Amino acid sequence: MSHAEEKDPRAQLRYRAMDLLARREHSANELLTKLTARLPEHIELIPEVLESLQRDQLQSDQRFAEAFVSSRIRKGQGPYRIRQELQQRGIQTAMAEQVLTDCGEDWFKLAADVVGRKYGQQPCGSFQERARRSRFLQYRGFSSEQIQACFDGD
């Protein structure tokens, strides 16, 4: 950042935001929170800077949501948990639903893969074991139908 930019609060905010975006995608809400914490004296300028970043296509909630969903699928998380985390990061419900639908993931297969990685291919020997595996999948964010499908062959 040049000496002139150091004095311009908009340039300073933009620089900080771009620095964060260079590391990974961020939602507008995440950027707002981080910029507010780092430069609270310029809080009134942050929305304007965020709008300019969106106009220049440097920040996109859609792009963030797509990257986030992909990352969480690789970690073996289900649609309920992913949707909740997106909403916590300021992504609108409609956009979260659209991204989850468009990702093309077979949630039933993912649930079976996740439980298989954790517990192996051994069938449940008892009600307690089935309940334990079900709680694990529920915590991961899978629906009751997706969880039930994992045990249909037992």
Side-chain angles (χ1 to χ4, degrees):
M1 191 179 326
S2 71
H3 183 66
E5 288 174 329
E6 287 178 13
K7 292 186 178 195
D8 180 16
R10 284 178 186 79
Q12 201 175 16
L13 284 166
R14 186 175 173 92
Y15 178 81
R16 289 283 181 108
M18 288 175 59
D19 186 46
L20 291 168
L21 289 167
R23 293 185 177 107
R24 71 167 176 86
E25 292 287 344
H26 285 74
S27 69
N29 193 47
E30 285 178 324
L31 282 178
L32 176 67
T33 302
K34 289 181 179 187
L35 291 174
T36 301
R38 288 183 170 101
L39 297 165
E41 65 275 10
H42 303 302
I43 194 168
E44 70 283 350
L45 299 174
I46 294 173
E48 178 186 328
V49 170
L50 289 178
E51 285 177 28
S52 79
L53 290 169
Q54 290 167 345
R55 238 186 349 265
D56 296 341
Q57 297 180 353
L58 295 172
Q59 191 281 322
S60 165
D61 279 351
Q62 177 76 30
R63 211 170 43 230
F64 165 78
E66 290 167 357
F68 188 86
V69 167
S70 178
S71 164
R72 292 311 192 255
I73 287 172
R74 283 191 303 276
K75 289 182 175 184
Q77 293 182 355
Y80 289 160
R81 183 164 178 182
I82 295 171
R83 184 180 303 110
Q84 180 184 21
E85 288 185 24
L86 283 170
Q87 289 173 346
Q88 288 172 349
R89 286 165 172 76
I91 301 300
Q92 299 294 321
T93 303
M95 183 183 290
E97 290 297 329
Q98 188 63 47
V99 170
L100 285 168
T101 301
D102 291 349
C103 77
E105 184 63 36
D106 181 351
W107 299 108
F108 290 91
K109 182 180 179 325
L110 182 61
D113 291 347
V114 167
V115 80
R117 279 192 308 249
K118 174 82 171 169
Y119 297 103
Q121 298 305 319
Q122 297 293 340
C124 293
S126 66
F127 176 78
Q128 288 84 6
E129 180 62 23
R130 184 176 175 153
R132 187 166 70 113
R133 293 181 188 190
S134 294
R135 281 191 306 273
F136 169 73
L137 288 171
Q138 187 176 24
Y139 170 76
R140 284 295 189 96
F142 292 99
S143 71
S144 56
E145 295 84 20
Q146 294 157 353
I147 294 168
Q148 182 62 40
C150 292
F151 303 116
D152 284 345
D154 288 352

